[in-house]
Amino acid sequence: MPHATGPSGLTPVREHQAWVATLLPPAPVESRPLTDCLGLALAEDLVAAIPLPPFDNSAMDGYAVRSVDVTEASPQHPVQLPVSEDLPAGRLDSPPLLPGTAHRIMTGAQVPSGADAVVPVERTDGGTAEVQVQASAQPGAHVRRAGEDVQVGTAVLAAGASLGPTQLGIAAAVGAARLPVRRPIRVLVLSTGSELVEPGSPLRTGQIYESNGLMLAAAVRDAGGKPELLRFVPDDVDSFHAALAPHLETTDLIITSGGVSAGAYEVVKDALSGNGVEFTKVAMQPGMPQGAGHYRGGPAVVTLPGNPVSAMVSFEIFVRPALRRAAGHRDAERPSRQATLTRPLEIPAGKRQYRRALFDAADGTVTPHGGPGSHLLSAMATANCLLEIPEEITELPAGSTVDVLLMD
């Protein structure tokens, strides 16, 4: 899809974001068991069919009593009551409590009818046939009332919720065995370059270890997608198309890195031009050369620059939000904050800057971290945020308020 360019002849960042966002439609909805839902997005509101707790139950190990029977109880003048029942958690019947008696009860056990309070075992002598109660109890003491957490008909999770451990816990607690979720986006990460070799193998002159593919596949998984890494595709157009062919029916998105600049051996650009992918230069640094479209009318394609920091920043700004939005997540964007810059920055004009930085949540400050070079991956690995600096700004003194995208 064509997109506008700015006054500099470069595509504004927001224009390219919008373009990439159109490439991925919402993923289909499928029903999955809870054990297979971690990290996915809920497709429909989850409405409680039962209350939580489902019945009045004890918050303590102790004795279920009628509060009026222990009004005068104290350590100096304990009240003695016969213990007529033991109520462990999970007992299916709950005999009623008669006046002037107590039931020994365990945490989570159903509070019997007739009882309106629980006296903790620590405030008794712990008797089994008879118990000496050494403290009074107000009505409702240590009783968890049915529905005090969740009422029947309450939406405990809203559509778009990202399903983490606690979300799956509440789903299980209200009795859901399966959930309607958006299927993870299936992403093929294509690593091209005749100079690339597998980490751990000996390096020959002119070779480098392949890292972008592994990094981007991990980023896809971290964003909730389902990556497949296709490595070591040589710098040859026919080999490129042949590598893609077996994956086209099972892939929603193809991500490439490198091969999109203006050099003589830009295999990605050569192979995808005329096959549904458009290329542009985006007004950003790092990450200027970009491409996006649909490969031969099939899977979406996003081509990223080859320098590792450029590739990772481009993924964060363009791919991650589109991927998460298509997968149904409400929290598609990275959280952002405003922070106080600790040292001055000079910035080239005309391009939106994304600088690696360290955000200190304790005092709300942010410190640039490492140089601006797009090959300097070590600072990216230890940064916890990106400074986002608009195109029109060329200088920021210390103490300036800046926008920060939190990465960690």
Side-chain angles (χ1 to χ4, degrees), residues 38-356:
L38 182 64
L40 303 185
L42 188 65
E44 303 168 7
D45 290 355
L46 176 61
V47 176
I50 63 167
L52 288 183
F55 49 82
D56 291 354
N57 70 86
S58 178
M60 303 285 287
D61 292 340
Y63 295 84
V65 299
R66 296 167 73 245
S67 57
V68 296
D69 290 338
V70 296
T71 301
E72 304 299 325
S74 69
Q76 296 76 26
H77 302 286
V79 171
Q80 185 162 308
L81 299 173
V83 177
S84 50
E85 294 286 347
D86 260 351
L87 301 178
R91 179 168 170 173
L92 298 181
D93 66 329
S94 182
L97 180 73
L98 299 178
T101 68
H103 288 354
R104 191 166 68 152
I105 193 168
M106 302 301 125
T107 302
Q110 184 172 349
V111 174
S113 61
D116 66 352
V118 171
V119 178
V121 66
E122 294 84 359
R123 296 183 178 180
T124 73
D125 67 351
T128 55
E130 292 187 335
V131 61
Q132 290 191 357
V133 179
Q134 299 164 358
S136 61
Q138 295 297 314
H142 306 298
V143 176
R144 301 165 177 159
R145 294 297 182 190
E148 72 176 42
D149 184 14
V150 173
Q151 297 283 330
V152 173
T154 300
V156 294
L157 293 173
S162 298
L163 297 171
T166 54
Q167 290 76 27
L168 295 176
I170 189 66
V174 298
R178 305 178 68 89
L179 290 175
V181 294
R182 295 280 176 188
R183 172 177 59 72
I185 303 298
R186 303 166 302 182
V187 183
L188 181 68
V189 178
L190 192 63
S191 174
T192 64
S194 298
E195 78 280 14
L196 302 178
V197 295
E198 186 169 5
S201 59
L203 279 181
R204 300 173 64 184
T205 302
Q207 293 182 327
I208 61 172
Y209 289 126
E210 198 285 311
S211 60
N212 279 8
L214 179 64
M215 178 176 67
L216 292 170
V220 168
R221 189 179 301 279
D222 181 66
K226 184 179 180 181
E228 180 180 0
L229 178 56
L230 185 59
R231 302 171 87 180
F232 311 120
V233 178
D235 286 331
D236 175 78
V237 169
D238 291 337
S239 297
F240 184 92
H241 289 300
L244 287 182
H247 303 277
L248 299 181
E249 297 299 321
T250 57
T251 296
D252 302 308
L253 171 65
I254 299 167
I255 298 176
T256 68
S257 62
V260 294
S261 295
Y265 297 100
E266 305 297 341
V267 64
V268 173
K269 196 170 187 178
D270 293 342
L272 296 180
S273 294
N275 283 292
V277 178
E278 297 183 43
F279 295 88
T280 189
K281 293 181 179 179
V282 177
M284 67 184 290
Q285 190 178 39
M288 184 172 68
Q290 302 283 338
H294 286 276
Y295 180 67
R296 295 177 175 175
V301 176
V302 177
T303 69
L304 307 178
N307 280 320
V309 176
S310 296
M312 196 62 201
V313 169
S314 299
F315 179 91
E316 286 291 331
I317 302 306
F318 302 122
V319 181
R320 189 181 191 276
L323 191 155
R324 288 186 64 78
R325 198 170 287 113
H329 294 275
R330 283 199 313 270
D331 57 342
E333 307 285 344
R334 289 283 192 187
S336 61
R337 300 286 187 274
Q338 288 196 317
T340 302
L341 192 64
T342 60
R343 62 178 176 82
L345 275 178
E346 291 186 3
I347 305 111
K351 295 180 183 177
R352 184 170 289 258
Q353 299 289 312
Y354 292 93
R355 294 288 183 90
R356 289 139 282 181

